[in-house]
């Protein structure tokens, strides 16, 4: 910040000297620009922001054209903040983005304009549409240890929760459903025992253990780790071991030496695999703090990636808050609470399940801080935030597979998170996690999951829902229209609606419109689909494809990865030979782009009439060859224009050698 103010001071000094005409290169800075800037500043000082905006917005294009990037950013920021203050959010968004563009050109880094970047994040409308799909017959590939097929393992602390005090029989009564996981804290020591109450251990639930080296990383030695690993192995139930959690947060004894931390994490992971196969290793930084990637021990050693992310109405529980810190840390009432998980999710979800290892919703200050900080009651905000998060996790972050609530009343922080002590928050959470997506057991499977509409094949009776964020504009309603005709209007998140596309033929457009609290259209998305396009049905389930199937010379081509994974195959890509590879139950199929000869278990098979192609950025392959290779039967339904794939009875299943024959 100091460098930013120094640059601004220098810029003002140069502008003054330019006005006097005594700086070389003054011709780059026009007198007209100076007049507009000073007139705008004078209007702002007089309290007339509308007049100030006229001058500021007029000078910005000239500053940009003259490549005066710093002043371009400075005056774009003035315009953005004025428009923001006036509630003209769409216009403010434009100028915040202009400011960021100009300052990047000038050389400012992310830290110097983080608040503006966060404000853009808050103000930019978001609208994403999803369709509900049955989980029946869907077998996700590449699941990690203890990862549910679908859904979120739901749990929290119990030992210091006054509504529970380790009596797990009370959890369902208080929180609406039984816990599927208990969160405990344990210190690295030489005792080799699990620090949990006998009642918790007797219940035999999966444990999420924050195993903390409170005496420093040097105390994490092989004998200590082996002793603890044997205790965990003896427990026998699934364990999520969160070693050295929040290692990127200053204040913990294991912060500050990333290389030593990674060395110790790998030591723990290696020994757990040798001694305690029931343990899944969880690497879990705080969502704020030092660069978490500096502490990442590597994919080989991590089973799950977690994150600690709490939701606070006020920064550090202080009503007289620092709004800059609130914005920067995605706290406060202006932030989208889901953004707290964004960076971790984007970095790892393509290869690791994600766990919200610790979370809570702050609604007031703790009793022992009353008098030290102003009192507040943000129960309604906390309830609304929790409802928003748990409603949208299944859509926005489907690979978040576990959540641990911090319901502990014995903390030193000023903020209070204990859900059981706040009926408003508690009721909201009970309602939000009541559905089957939030699991009380690793064996449970929700009935449905949400598929992004861009990756869906629209057909028949379809349930849709919308993820909407409108920032300060406030949420209003969502309308669904088919070819301009209103199908449904919804007012509550997630704006679910059942639409019937049965009997449609030809091209159509589904339009989704999100309106803010004032009734103004804030976001709109349209999705074109061809109801007459070829579909692929697997064991009675129409498959979803981001790239629709195409028909070439009578052969139906489908996206390789989507159909291979639907058939339960493992997928790989050989970039050197441009070959896609699918493996299942000892059978391997190789298809090379533009090569008509498939290779099955190393043997060339009968050439295909149409080889694999690249269409719209997707590798498209004949549906029949991949299905038959893996023992499926394939038929064509001309009435429904559908490729029908089904698993035959075991006695009818062809061998891989048979599939390779003409």
């Amino acid at each position: 910040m100091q460098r930013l103010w120094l640059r601004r001071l220098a810029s003002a000094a140069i502008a003054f000297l330019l006005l006097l005409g005594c700086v070389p290169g003054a011709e780059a800075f026009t007198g007209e620009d100076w007049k507009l800037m000073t007139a705008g500043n004078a209007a702002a000082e007089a309290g007339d922001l509308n007049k100030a905006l006229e001058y500021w917005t007029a000078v910005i294009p000239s500053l940009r054209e003259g490549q005066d990037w710093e002043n371009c950013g400075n005056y774009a920021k003035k315009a953005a903040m004025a428009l923001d203050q006036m509630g003209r959010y769409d216009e403010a968004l434009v100028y915040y983005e202009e400011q960021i563009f100009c300052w990047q050109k000038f050389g400012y880094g992310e830290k110097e304009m983080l608040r503006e970047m966060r404000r853009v994040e808050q103000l930019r409308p978001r609208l994403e549409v999803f369709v509900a799909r049955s989980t029946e017959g869907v077998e996700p590939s590449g699941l990690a240890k203890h990862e549910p097929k679908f859904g979120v393992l739901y749990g929290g602390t119990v030992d210091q929760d006054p509504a529970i005090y380790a009596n797990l029989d009370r959890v369902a009564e208080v929180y609406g459903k039984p816990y599927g996981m208990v969160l405990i804290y344990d210190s690295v020591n030489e005792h080799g025992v699990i620090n949990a109450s006998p009642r918790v251990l007797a219940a035999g639930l999966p444990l999420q253990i924050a195993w903390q080296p409170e005496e420093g990383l040097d105390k994490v030695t092989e004998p200590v780790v082996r002793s603890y690993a044997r205790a965990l192995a003896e427990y026998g139930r699934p364990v999520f071991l969160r070693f050295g959690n929040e290692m990127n947060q200053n204040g913990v004894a294991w912060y500050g030496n990333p290389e030593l931390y990674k060395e110790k994490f790998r030591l723990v992971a290696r020994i757990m695999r040798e001694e305690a196969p029931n343990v899944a290793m969880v690497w879990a930084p705080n969502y704020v703090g030092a660069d978490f990637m500096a502490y990442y021990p590597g994919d080989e050693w991590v089973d799950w990636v977690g994150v600690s992310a709490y939701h606070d109405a006020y920064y550090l529980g202080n009503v007289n808050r620092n709004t800059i810190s609130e914005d920067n840390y995605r706290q406060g009432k202006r932030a989208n609470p889901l953004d707290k998980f964004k960076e971790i999710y984007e970095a790892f979800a393509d290869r690791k399940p994600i766990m919200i290892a610790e979370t809570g919703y702050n609604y007031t200050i703790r009793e022992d801080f009353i008098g030290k900080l102003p009192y507040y009651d943000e129960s309604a905000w906390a309830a609304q935030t929790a409802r928003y998060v748990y409603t949208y996790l299944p859509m926005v972050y489907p690979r978040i597979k576990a959540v641990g609530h911090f319901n502990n009343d014995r903390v030193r922080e000023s903020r209070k998170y204990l859900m059981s002590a706040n009926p408003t928050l508690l009721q909201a959470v009970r309602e939000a996690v009541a559905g089957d997506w939030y699991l009380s057991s690793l064996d449970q499977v929700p009935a449905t999951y949400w598929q992004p509409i861009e990756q869906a094949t629209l057909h028949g009776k379809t349930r849709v829902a919308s993820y909407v964020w409108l920032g300060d504009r406030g949420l209003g309603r969502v309308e669904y229209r088919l070819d301009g005709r209103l199908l449904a209007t919804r007012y509550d998140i997630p704006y679910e609606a059942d639409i019937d596309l049965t009997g449609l033929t030809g091209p159509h457009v589904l339009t989704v419109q999100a309106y803010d609290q004032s009734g103004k259209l804030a976001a709109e998305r349209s999705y074109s689909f061809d109801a007459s396009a070829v579909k692929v049905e697997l064991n009675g389930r129409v498959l979803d494809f981001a790239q629709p199937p195409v028909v070439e010379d009578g052969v139906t081509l489908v996206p390789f990865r989507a159909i291979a994974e639907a058939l339960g195959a493992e997928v790989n890509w050989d970039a050197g030979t441009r070959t896609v590879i699918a493996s299942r139950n000892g059978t391997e199929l190789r298809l090379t782009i533009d090569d008509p000869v498939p290779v099955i278990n190393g043997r060339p098979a009968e050439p295909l009439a149409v080889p694999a192609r690249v269409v719209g950025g997707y590798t498209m392959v004949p549906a029949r060859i991949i299905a038959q290779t893996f023992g499926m039967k394939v038929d064509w339904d001309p009435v429904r224009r559908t490729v029908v794939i089904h698993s035959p009875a075991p006695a009818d299943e062809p061998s891989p050698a048979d599939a390779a024959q003409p």
Side-chain angles (χ1 to χ4, degrees):
M1 289 300 296
Q2 184 178 11
R3 184 158 65 96
L4 175 60
W5 283 109
L6 287 173
R7 286 183 174 177
R8 289 179 176 175
L9 182 61
S11 177
I14 291 170
F16 178 71
L17 292 171
L18 286 169
L19 179 64
L20 298 178
C22 58
V23 174
E27 63 277 5
F29 195 85
T30 70
E32 185 61 29
D33 288 348
W34 175 254
K35 290 178 183 178
L36 291 170
M37 289 188 291
T38 54
N41 295 341
E45 290 176 8
D48 190 345
L49 285 183
N50 284 308
K51 180 60 68 175
L53 280 167
E54 290 181 21
Y55 294 116
W56 291 339
T57 56
V59 77
I60 291 167
S62 177
L63 295 172
R64 182 193 250 253
E65 184 178 349
Q67 298 187 9
D68 183 355
W69 298 119
E70 185 174 31
N71 273 313
C72 173
N74 290 342
Y75 281 86
K77 180 176 181 177
K78 286 175 179 284
M81 294 182 69
L83 290 162
D84 200 344
Q85 181 181 331
M86 299 163 71
R88 293 161 60 179
Y89 301 120
D90 292 331
E91 297 168 85
L93 180 59
V94 171
Y95 284 101
Y96 278 127
E97 290 175 334
E98 177 75 2
Q99 173 202 342
I100 292 167
F101 173 82
C102 292
W103 276 8
Q104 284 175 333
K105 287 285 191 179
F106 184 71
Y108 283 171
E110 181 176 324
K111 290 183 179 179
E112 293 165 307
M113 49 189 177
L114 182 59
R115 188 185 189 190
E116 288 77 27
M117 295 175 73
R118 290 286 188 263
R119 191 59 180 144
V120 166
E121 187 178 76
Q122 294 164 359
L123 288 177
R124 182 178 290 133
R126 302 182 214 178
L127 172 60
E128 299 175 26
V129 184
F130 299 83
V131 297
R133 291 293 187 246
S134 172
T135 59
E136 185 176 356
V138 180
E139 295 294 333
S141 61
L143 295 177
K145 185 180 290 187
H146 309 327
E147 180 182 355
K149 291 181 180 179
F150 295 94
V152 172
L153 191 64
Y154 174 71
T157 55
V158 296
D159 284 355
Q160 303 300 330
D161 184 345
I164 305 298
Y165 281 141
N167 183 358
L168 292 172
D169 293 337
R170 287 188 48 77
V171 172
E173 176 186 344
V174 175
Y175 293 110
K177 62 173 50 179
Y179 279 168
M181 170 184 71
V182 173
L183 168 58
I184 66 174
Y185 295 81
D186 208 348
S187 297
V188 174
N189 54 56
E190 298 177 356
H191 304 308
V193 296
I194 303 172
N195 179 31
S197 70
R199 296 177 77 171
V200 167
L201 296 177
L205 288 178
L207 299 178
Q208 188 223 124
I209 304 176
W211 199 39
Q212 301 174 324
E214 294 180 345
E215 296 182 17
L217 289 167
D218 289 336
K219 298 293 184 179
V220 183
T221 63
E222 181 150 342
V224 168
V225 177
R226 287 200 182 276
S227 178
Y228 196 62
R230 288 165 186 157
L232 297 178
E234 184 178 350
Y235 180 65
R237 299 290 296 150
V239 172
F240 302 91
L241 188 63
R242 190 164 50 117
F243 171 73
N245 57 298
E246 301 178 26
M247 77 301 297
N248 64 324
Q249 191 72 52
N250 193 2
V252 298
W254 49 98
Y255 168 82
N257 191 335
E259 293 307 314
L260 182 58
Y261 173 84
K262 290 186 286 189
E263 175 188 323
K264 297 300 184 179
F265 190 102
R266 292 164 185 157
L267 171 69
V268 174
R270 175 176 60 80
I271 292 174
M272 290 299 159
R273 289 172 185 175
E274 294 169 0
E275 301 273 2
N278 59 314
V279 171
M281 290 298 298
V282 182
W283 176 79
N286 198 302
Y287 85 102
V288 296
D291 176 21
F292 53 74
M293 288 305 297
Y295 290 84
Y296 187 58
D299 287 354
E300 176 186 356
W301 306 102
V302 175
D303 298 308
W304 287 62
V305 170
V307 62
S308 294
Y310 289 82
H311 305 272
D312 299 336
Y314 305 111
Y315 182 64
L316 298 180
N318 189 349
V319 175
N320 302 320
R321 58 199 184 280
N322 181 340
T323 56
I324 295 177
S325 296
E326 284 185 2
D327 289 346
N328 288 352
Y329 298 143
R330 297 189 173 109
Q331 293 285 29
K333 297 182 179 181
R334 304 202 309 184
N336 182 340
L338 289 171
D339 285 341
K340 291 180 172 64
F341 319 122
K342 181 169 65 174
E343 290 173 8
I344 285 287
Y345 195 90
E346 290 178 350
F348 293 102
D350 63 334
R351 60 193 190 279
K352 302 290 180 184
I354 308 298
M355 170 187 294
I356 303 174
E358 288 183 31
T359 193
Y361 300 85
N362 171 242
Y363 51 88
T364 192
I365 58 172
R366 290 176 46 79
E367 289 79 0
D368 47 341
F369 279 83
I370 294 177
K372 302 175 185 176
L373 289 173
Y375 176 80
Y376 58 88
D377 181 355
E378 290 292 348
S379 301
W381 174 86
Q384 178 185 19
T385 302
R387 186 177 287 110
Y388 190 85
V389 168
Y390 293 126
T391 297
Y392 281 130
L393 277 186
M395 301 178 195
V396 182
Y397 300 123
R399 284 215 78 189
I400 288 182
K401 295 294 189 74
V403 60
H405 279 119
F406 186 79
N407 288 316
N408 186 334
D409 206 31
R410 298 184 181 181
V411 294
R412 299 174 185 174
E413 295 178 345
S414 58
R415 291 144 289 166
K416 192 163 186 174
Y417 299 100
L418 184 63
M419 287 195 301
S420 58
N422 189 289
T424 302
L425 172 60
L426 180 61
Q427 183 61 29
V429 173
R430 285 174 60 101
E431 293 172 358
V433 303
D436 62 0
W437 191 259
Y438 292 92
L439 311 175
S440 297
S441 165
L442 283 170
D443 297 327
Q444 292 178 326
V445 180
T448 60
Y449 68 98
W450 292 104
Q451 180 89 336
I453 196 171
E454 295 89 347
Q455 301 173 18
T457 301
L458 295 179
H459 66 94
K461 295 181 179 179
T462 301
R463 173 161 294 180
V464 295
S466 294
Y467 163 54
V468 182
W469 171 258
L470 300 180
D472 295 43
R473 302 167 183 81
L475 299 177
R477 70 184 190 276
V478 168
E479 294 182 352
Y480 298 93
R481 298 177 180 274
L482 181 64
D483 302 326
R485 177 173 58 89
L486 181 65
L487 298 178
T489 302
R490 296 293 182 265
Y491 295 90
D492 299 311
I493 61 170
Y495 309 103
E496 290 187 30
D498 293 312
I499 59 176
D500 191 353
L501 306 176
T502 305
L504 294 181
T505 59
H508 297 274
V509 177
L510 178 67
T511 301
V512 184
Q513 298 172 321
Y515 293 82
D516 63 21
Q517 279 185 334
S518 71
K520 180 182 177 182
L521 179 63
E524 179 177 283
R525 300 286 296 272
S526 291
Y527 306 92
S528 299
F529 66 100
D530 186 351
S532 300
V534 170
K535 299 174 180 60
V536 178
E537 182 180 278
L538 173 62
N539 293 329
R541 174 172 61 95
V542 175
L543 298 182
D544 288 308
F545 296 122
Q547 166 63 48
V550 297
V551 178
E552 186 175 329
D553 294 335
V555 176
T556 301
L557 303 177
V558 296
F560 173 78
R561 178 176 292 276
I563 193 167
E565 291 183 345
L567 294 171
E570 180 181 340
V571 176
N572 287 291
W573 164 254
D574 185 334
T577 61
R578 301 177 73 225
T579 299
V580 289
I581 307 163
S583 305
R584 176 178 178 265
N585 296 337
T587 300
E588 180 190 84
L589 170 66
R590 289 174 171 260
L591 295 169
T592 299
I593 304 298
D594 298 326
D595 185 342
V597 179
V599 177
I600 301 175
N601 289 343
R603 298 168 54 195
E606 182 74 12
L608 303 170
V610 178
R613 303 272 197 226
V614 176
V615 178
Y618 291 84
T619 299
M620 307 289 283
V621 301
R624 184 174 295 274
I625 181 62
I626 190 168
Q628 289 181 340
T629 298
F630 295 123
M632 305 292 183
K633 290 192 173 181
V634 184
D635 294 307
W636 167 250
D637 184 337
V639 176
R640 296 188 297 141
R641 291 181 53 78
T642 300
V643 177
V644 180
I645 303 173
H646 56 92
S647 303
D652 298 332
E653 190 166 326
S655 68
D658 293 336
Q661 300 305 311

